[in-house]
Amino acid sequence: MIPFLDLKNINAQYRDELIEACTKVIDSGWYVQGKECHAFEKEFAQYCGTKHAIGVANGLDALTLIIRAYKEMGVMKDGDEVIVPSNTYIASILAISENNLVPILVEPDINTYLLDPKKVEEKITSKTKAIMPVHLYGQTCEMDDINAIAKKYSLKVIEDSAQSHGAYFNEKRSGNLGDASGFSFYPGKNLGALGDAGAVTTNDHELATTIKALANYGSHKKYQNLYKGVNSRLDEMQAAMLRVKLRHLDKETEHRREIAAYYLENIKNPDITLPIQNSKFKIQNYKNHVWHVFVIRTSKRDALQKYLLENGVQSLIHYPIPPHKQEAYKEWADESYPISEQIHAEVLSLPISGIQKQEDTIHIVKLVNSWNKQ
């Protein structure tokens, strides 16, 4: 069986380094908000090109805390609106509604699956305070257009970078393309911890200071509480392991790009729609996609997934149910987002990782090309 994602062997590459990092933490006697967390924050900020990175408990908290901080700073208030793609993972939307703001769903581009800037402006009202572009599947959104719209209407841009660690838009990396960005380091991400973890990146000193306090019980100084905060901190153990894996991230990303290039060049089944990038794909210099997942599309998605599994290949669906059809947001049940509904009904993610063998990639391509030709 070719697994969709072999986390055990991904982490086994760095076993000795990870054990050494864990041992260092154990022996330090300091397990929360210590040297490892501070070092990772500095290193990740440098990697993204930002002035600040704040380690938090997970990716959802990262986005939630950004909006909460803006509320504490007087930039946003209850009832304000945030524009977000209608085909995103539910976490993007949860972060908005958790803060008593209103998610305004906007359809994506059917070709890239990313927020369509051409559809954003028509959804802006007097209550709109931010745009949340989601760099879905590992590709950065059209940030020049999005930032231009945000500037025109004095809106904040909050990147959801949970799937785009290391991806570029022009000369800047994901996490440094807006006012603030939320990252997830869930184990299956391109930069994955061995548990839950997340971070916020920003160049805004006031925002960073506010988030840091909010995530630590609202405390900026021990036993003094500026805000009614929460407990959302990146622990020393996860920070230490992330420091190890950050050193290897670019190498794994290049391997993902090589697999994606092979898929793109060799999958020829006319029933399959391949991913489309924002410019011509050139493996040697194409940096705006890090291929968190490689998503194909077909109207016979379930049949293809069954065929692959019967032939020893595991695939996953990202994601089977669009947000406006989730029970949690039943107030949207009667709304129609046809592009998102089509995407959620047709997408299928093929295996791709930093350790995937060439022979497995070749086998997967042969299966996809032979499907539906019997």
Side-chain angles (χ1 to χ4, degrees):
M1 175 68 68
I2 299 174
F4 178 76
L5 189 63
D6 188 350
L7 286 177
K8 180 179 178 180
N9 282 321
I10 287 172
N11 289 318
Q13 303 174 94
Y14 318 122
R15 178 181 173 83
D16 291 343
E17 292 176 77
L18 292 169
I19 290 174
E20 181 181 356
C22 291
T23 302
K24 184 178 178 181
V25 172
I26 293 167
D27 291 346
S28 75
W30 195 302
Y31 308 118
V32 177
Q33 291 194 316
K35 293 180 179 179
E36 293 297 325
C37 181
H38 297 152
F40 174 72
E41 289 175 334
K42 181 178 179 180
E43 291 161 5
F44 193 64
Q46 289 175 341
Y47 182 81
C48 294
T50 57
K51 294 178 181 177
H52 304 279
I54 306 100
V56 297
N58 55 69
L60 174 56
D61 281 5
L63 294 173
T64 303
L65 285 163
I66 292 169
I67 299 173
R68 172 71 190 282
Y70 277 134
K71 291 179 70 178
E72 295 291 350
M73 292 163 60
V75 176
M76 300 177 188
K77 64 181 184 303
D78 288 2
D80 283 342
E81 298 173 350
V82 178
I83 288 173
V84 64
S86 54
N87 65 317
T88 186
Y89 181 59
I90 199 75
S92 313
I93 296 167
L94 289 171
I96 300 168
S97 57
E98 173 65 19
N99 279 291
N100 295 316
L101 272 67
V102 181
I104 302 298
L105 305 184
V106 173
E107 288 268 65
D109 184 315
I110 187 63
N111 296 309
T112 64
Y113 314 124
L114 301 175
L115 181 65
D116 189 343
K118 297 188 294 294
K119 298 171 183 171
V120 168
E121 200 161 5
E122 64 192 48
K123 293 293 187 79
I124 294 174
T125 72
S126 60
K127 291 186 176 182
T128 308
K129 291 297 183 289
I131 304 171
M132 185 182 288
V134 181
H135 306 310
L136 199 64
Y137 305 152
Q139 181 170 211
T140 51
C141 296
E142 292 286 357
M143 295 305 297
D144 282 350
D145 293 342
I146 290 170
N147 283 325
I149 294 169
K151 183 178 181 180
K152 179 179 178 181
Y153 293 94
S154 299
L155 308 177
K156 295 297 183 183
V157 175
I158 303 170
E159 297 174 76
D160 183 337
S161 299
Q163 300 185 6
S164 59
H165 312 77
Y168 279 88
F169 184 83
N170 294 332
E171 301 304 315
K172 291 184 177 181
R173 271 185 165 140
S174 171
N176 191 26
L177 303 174
D179 294 287
S181 180
F183 284 88
S184 168
F185 304 124
Y186 181 76
K189 303 298 185 186
N190 290 27
L191 177 59
L194 274 72
D196 275 320
V200 173
T201 56
T202 184
N203 292 308
D204 185 329
H205 179 73
E206 183 184 1
L207 181 68
T209 302
T210 305
I211 289 171
K212 190 165 288 192
L214 282 169
N216 187 35
Y217 300 98
S219 174
H220 67 301
K221 188 176 181 181
K222 194 169 185 179
Y223 300 130
Q224 295 183 29
N225 301 77
L226 282 172
Y227 315 107
K228 296 174 183 177
V230 297
N231 176 11
S232 180
R233 302 178 299 202
L234 176 63
D235 70 69
E236 286 289 278
M237 195 68 78
Q238 296 302 338
M241 289 185 282
L242 284 167
R243 291 185 69 198
V244 170
K245 297 187 71 177
L246 181 59
R247 296 196 292 265
H248 302 283
L249 177 58
D250 287 345
K251 177 196 69 176
E252 288 202 21
T253 297
E254 287 309 312
H255 189 65
R256 287 175 177 271
R257 288 185 175 129
E258 290 168 5
I259 295 167
Y262 189 87
Y263 281 151
L264 290 167
E265 292 164 7
N266 293 282
I267 293 177
K268 304 295 185 181
N269 192 320
D271 292 323
I272 301 295
T273 299
L274 292 168
I276 294 176
Q277 292 83 46
N278 294 332
S279 61
K280 188 175 180 181
F281 186 79
K282 294 180 180 179
I283 195 67
Q284 65 269 26
N285 60 14
Y286 196 80
K287 302 293 185 182
N288 79 321
H289 209 319
V290 294
W291 300 102
H292 172 57
V293 285
F294 188 93
V295 178
I296 60 175
R297 207 171 79 238
T298 174
S299 60
K300 304 171 184 176
R301 187 262 311 282
D302 294 344
L304 174 57
Q305 185 175 39
K306 182 174 182 288
Y307 173 79
L308 291 173
L309 188 61
E310 290 172 345
N311 286 276
V313 175
Q314 184 185 36
S315 60
L316 292 181
I317 300 170
H318 296 93
Y319 303 95
I321 304 173
H324 68 285
K325 295 298 183 183
Q326 296 285 357
E327 182 66 20
Y329 290 98
K330 54 190 174 185
E331 64 269 27
W332 294 337
D334 294 331
E335 295 189 18
S336 176
Y337 297 92
I339 296 175
S340 291
E341 289 163 19
Q342 180 184 354
I343 290 169
H344 287 267
E346 295 183 351
V347 291
L348 186 68
S349 300
L350 299 179
I352 188 168
S353 78
I355 63 167
Q356 187 164 305
K357 297 176 182 177
Q358 177 71 358
E359 56 262 35
D360 289 341
T361 303
I362 292 171
H363 179 63
I364 292 165
V365 168
K366 287 179 178 177
L367 285 175
V368 171
N369 283 338
S370 66
W371 172 68
N372 216 26
K373 293 183 179 180
Q374 296 87 347

